[in-house]
Amino acid sequence: MRDTEMSGKRTGSRSSRLSIVIALSASALLSVVGPAHAAPAKDPLPADIPDYQAALDAVKSTSVRDAVCRFLRTPVPSGSAGEPVQTIPDTAEPCRDLPVFTIKDPLARNEIAPGFVAGTAKPLPTEAVKLTQLVSSLSTTVNGRTATVMLAPTQGGGWHLAAIRDGDSDAVYAGKATLGTLVFTEPQIRGWYQLKLTTVEPLNDQARQGLGGQASVSLSDYQKLVKARYADKLPGSEYDTNGYSSGYGTPSKADDATSSALLLAGGSSAALALACGAAVLRRRRRASTG
């Protein structure tokens, strides 16, 4: 009962915040994400990100910094099929002898919402996307590598380290949000989009392909596109219960690329897990044509 009440409060709080944002200014209708450049802790905290101070505390903590250092000390996997999972050993001073770096303030990582994909939600900015994670990049490259710290919401409030990923594209795209615009991802095809009022514009090649090469589409038309792509592949569907992940990729250059390495944090040590995106996408395509 307590969990239900807490869930209801958090849902109501988010709806209230979004309603306030919309009421404040028509020109800033979509300012429901963090600022393009994360604000220092002394500035007003983003109202759209719950428990943002907890997120700041997390990325500035010694434990998260140590986890990043261990990640950066681990060789990048080659991406070969069947490559064993690498274990990152605990060390007393994981950041010793590494170049000095800081972890930037977290930014909102928004994704298309299941209800929007299913067509049960209206094509409105407040219904189209949901905040799923926070992402932070490093202030500089370390030994030629960039990395992204990914935070997930903690049950009951707050944020915790969910993963550390090679590269910083998520944070770069999330940082393109400005006053009056919303940035979100269609993770199934690694597409990134910017939503201006009710117009969807692509930010990368995968997104442009997802829009069929169009420079922009209405939010309503975008909903039709993603509904056609994923509505019958959502969690709980036959596609999902047959052992496939929800969603699928349209043919693109990304199909033959291997996903970046992912550090799954947990306990006193962590495992470096490699997700072979190309193999999964090829398996999906064969299944859909077989």
Side-chain angles (χ1 to χ4, degrees):
M1 180 66 179
R2 181 181 178 83
D3 289 342
T4 301
E5 292 177 351
M6 186 171 297
S7 175
K9 289 179 180 178
R10 298 184 72 177
T11 300
S13 175
R14 174 168 170 74
S15 298
S16 175
R17 284 194 299 273
L18 291 172
S19 298
I20 291 172
V21 169
I22 292 173
L24 283 176
S25 170
S27 64
L29 174 63
L30 303 178
S31 76
V32 291
V33 294
H37 301 286
K42 64 181 180 180
D43 290 343
L45 302 181
D48 57 288
I49 300 178
D51 303 314
Y52 190 73
Q53 185 61 56
L56 285 173
D57 294 341
V59 298
K60 305 303 179 185
S61 68
T62 300
S63 60
V64 168
R65 183 179 178 81
D66 285 350
V68 172
C69 290
R70 292 189 181 98
F71 176 83
L72 293 171
R73 287 185 179 279
T74 304
V76 179
S78 65
S80 301
E83 182 176 10
V85 173
Q86 301 181 47
T87 299
I88 301 176
D90 286 330
T91 56
E93 298 180 64
C95 298
R96 184 176 181 178
D97 299 327
L98 284 179
V100 176
F101 67 90
T102 57
I103 303 173
K104 296 181 182 179
D105 292 353
L107 299 170
R109 183 181 185 276
N110 298 289
E111 294 184 10
I112 50 176
F116 178 76
V117 173
T120 57
K122 295 180 180 180
L124 299 173
T126 53
E127 302 289 334
V129 303
K130 65 175 182 176
L131 175 65
T132 57
Q133 292 177 318
L134 302 182
V135 290
S136 303
S137 58
L138 306 185
S139 61
T140 186
T141 58
V142 178
N143 295 341
R145 293 173 67 181
T146 56
T148 298
V149 175
M150 310 184 78
L151 303 180
T154 301
Q155 186 174 7
W159 298 86
H160 64 271
L161 177 64
I164 303 169
R165 171 178 291 171
D166 260 309
D168 60 1
S169 60
D170 279 21
V172 169
Y173 285 119
K176 292 183 180 295
T178 61
L179 183 66
T181 71
L182 173 67
V183 169
F184 67 94
T185 181
E186 183 183 332
Q188 295 88 345
I189 61 171
R190 303 177 194 170
W192 283 90
Y193 304 85
Q194 190 168 47
L195 182 58
K196 298 179 179 180
L197 294 179
T198 57
T199 300
V200 178
E201 299 180 358
L203 292 177
N204 63 359
D205 289 341
Q206 292 91 328
R208 278 184 281 275
Q209 189 169 35
L211 298 185
Q214 300 179 81
S216 66
V217 299
S218 69
L219 186 57
S220 178
D221 284 343
Y222 177 69
Q223 183 178 36
K224 294 174 184 176
L225 290 173
V226 294
K227 182 179 179 180
R229 284 202 278 268
Y230 313 123
D232 61 343
K233 298 172 179 64
L234 291 170
S237 66
E238 183 179 355
Y239 185 90
D240 178 48
T241 55
N242 282 340
Y244 298 100
S245 301
S246 60
Y248 68 99
T250 56
S252 71
K253 293 182 294 184
D255 286 358
D256 295 320
T258 304
S259 299
S260 57
L262 188 67
L263 174 71
L264 303 177
S268 60
S269 63
L272 191 65
L274 183 69
C276 296
V280 172
L281 287 169
R282 283 194 293 270
R283 182 168 68 127
R284 291 172 184 166
R285 192 176 296 120
R286 284 197 300 269
S288 64
T289 58

